[in-house]
Amino acid sequence: MRTHEFEPIPGLPEELPDGEEILWQGKPAWWSLAKRALHVRKVAAYFVIVGAWFATDALLQGEGVVAAGGYALNQLLIGAVAVGCLLVLGRWMATTTLYTITNRRLVMRIGASLPTTVNLPFDRIEAANLAQHRDGTSDVSLRLDEGEKVRFLLFWPHVRPWRLSPPEPTLRVIPDGDEAARILAEALEAHRAREEGTQTASGVDQEAAAHS
């Protein structure tokens, strides 16, 4: 059963209100998420190094090639299980994640075992940052207003790496990051223009009322 089977719109907890429309939807590339968020390659390298160390130590202790090979193989098998689990977790995380940009907010459906939908209205977003990776994916990080309290563990791994205070919610390793960043920037600019226009009109109305 897919996590969004009971969502009225995939990635959204409810129907969109009048005047709101979806501009973009996407999700992380699972292999890149496993590499960058779960550090699969580093874990694999660790077990290779440990296996080589055990084998070398066995040879130095005079245990023979067969025993040394057994020690190395044992570590490699443990490493293969660990890497396999991380790959499955990375794919699960990517599959259950869906990012949505509308003309009013950004919505993040995140969480593999406990799906959570986080709404980030444009009023709360101060700026966005695009970071491109060599594998063709990109991160789009959001800097929120200073008054907003964000819990790092709630968003992980959908946060900007190594940015703990304050954490920055992030669209992680999305294949079309350039397009998503462009759409988000244009939507934020249009929203701010509408807000400024509304405030200006409100100020004019109040001034007219004062003179009447």
Side-chain angles (χ1 to χ4, degrees), residues 140-158:
V140 180
S141 301
L142 308 174
R143 189 170 74 248
L144 304 182
D145 289 339
E146 292 183 1
E148 297 296 334
K149 303 297 183 182
V150 176
R151 290 183 294 169
F152 184 91
L153 292 179
L154 171 66
F155 282 90
W156 186 88
H158 311 278

Side-chain angles (χ1 to χ4, degrees), residues 20-76:
E20 185 173 8
E21 59 179 330
I22 294 175
L23 304 179
W24 176 90
Q25 283 191 313
K27 59 179 55 184
W30 78 269
W31 169 238
S32 189
L33 186 67
K35 287 190 300 181
R36 298 187 176 279
L38 304 180
H39 306 287
V40 167
R41 291 182 298 184
K42 293 182 177 127
V43 172
Y46 167 80
F47 281 101
V48 169
I49 293 170
V50 171
W53 173 262
F54 275 43
T56 302
D57 184 65
L59 290 174
L60 293 175
Q61 297 298 325
E63 296 190 39
V65 175
V66 175
Y71 290 132
L73 181 60
N74 182 58
Q75 294 302 312
L76 292 177

Side-chain angles (χ1 to χ4, degrees), residues 12-153:
L12 299 174
E14 56 190 16
E15 295 285 350
L16 292 174
D18 292 340
E20 185 173 8
E21 59 179 330
I22 294 175
L23 304 179
W24 176 90
Q25 283 191 313
K27 59 179 55 184
W30 78 269
W31 169 238
S32 189
L33 186 67
K35 287 190 300 181
R36 298 187 176 279
L38 304 180
H39 306 287
V40 167
R41 291 182 298 184
K42 293 182 177 127
V43 172
Y46 167 80
F47 281 101
V48 169
I49 293 170
V50 171
W53 173 262
F54 275 43
T56 302
D57 184 65
L59 290 174
L60 293 175
Q61 297 298 325
E63 296 190 39
V65 175
V66 175
Y71 290 132
L73 181 60
N74 182 58
Q75 294 302 312
L76 292 177
L77 289 176
I78 295 174
V81 172
V83 169
C85 290
L86 290 176
L87 289 175
V88 171
L89 179 60
R91 190 175 186 88
W92 187 19
M93 285 180 169
T95 302
T96 55
T97 296
L98 191 59
Y99 306 129
T100 303
I101 299 174
T102 76
N103 58 333
R104 295 180 180 175
R105 56 180 165 157
L106 188 146
V107 184
M108 303 173 70
R109 191 239 282 150
I110 56 179
S113 58
L114 295 173
T116 301
T117 302
V118 181
N119 285 288
L120 297 174
F122 287 163
D123 290 338
R124 297 172 55 186
I125 300 176
E126 186 175 300
N129 176 70
L130 174 66
Q132 298 174 314
H133 306 303
R134 280 185 277 182
D135 61 1
T137 62
S138 303
D139 290 348
V140 180
S141 301
L142 308 174
R143 189 170 74 248
L144 304 182
D145 289 339
E146 292 183 1
E148 297 296 334
K149 303 297 183 182
V150 176
R151 290 183 294 169
F152 184 91
L153 292 179

